[in-house]
Amino acid sequence: MTKERIGKELAKVRKQLADLQAKEKDLDAQRQMAEDAESMKIIKKYKISPEKLALLNKVSEREMLQILEKREKESREDEEKSNS
């Protein structure tokens, strides 16, 4: 292959990559919109108020923090056992 032909092929591949990255970004946005729409359907179906959603979010955050703290504690205990 000549240098010019390699350069053209490389430019073609880069263009394809850019097109695929743009398509990936668009598909990710579409997926997120679909997930959001699905969530909104559930919220409307069960008539969940914004206040209840905020409360659920706080509860979820608290539960996640408790789980992380528990895992960290278990990890420290495991390290102490292995060092003994």
Side-chain angles (χ1 to χ4, degrees):
M1 283 186 137
T2 66
K3 186 177 175 181
E4 290 173 4
R5 187 169 174 191
I6 293 170
K8 288 179 184 178
E9 188 69 24
L10 188 57
K12 180 181 171 184
V13 169
R14 286 183 178 149
K15 169 90 170 85
Q16 289 173 338
L17 282 172
D19 291 344
L20 287 172
Q21 287 171 337
K23 185 175 181 177
E24 176 189 27
K25 187 176 179 180
D26 182 54
L27 288 171
D28 276 338
Q30 288 180 33
R31 180 182 46 115
Q32 184 63 51
M33 286 190 294
E35 288 175 0
D36 292 346
E38 189 175 300
S39 297
M40 289 303 296
K41 285 180 185 177
I42 292 169
I43 290 167
K44 286 180 181 180
K45 179 179 178 181
Y46 293 103
K47 297 177 175 78
I48 301 173
S49 69
E51 294 81 17
K52 286 182 182 178
L53 282 174
L55 180 61
L56 287 170
N57 191 33
K58 285 181 183 178
V59 169
S60 295
E61 288 176 9
R62 237 183 325 191
E63 288 174 348
M64 284 189 289
L65 288 173
Q66 289 173 349
I67 290 169
L68 289 173
E69 288 172 358
K70 182 180 175 184
R71 285 183 183 173
E72 187 175 312
K73 182 181 175 184
E74 290 172 352
S75 177
R76 281 193 303 252
E77 288 173 354
D78 289 344
E79 285 180 20
E80 289 173 2
K81 287 178 184 176
S82 65
N83 290 336
S84 298

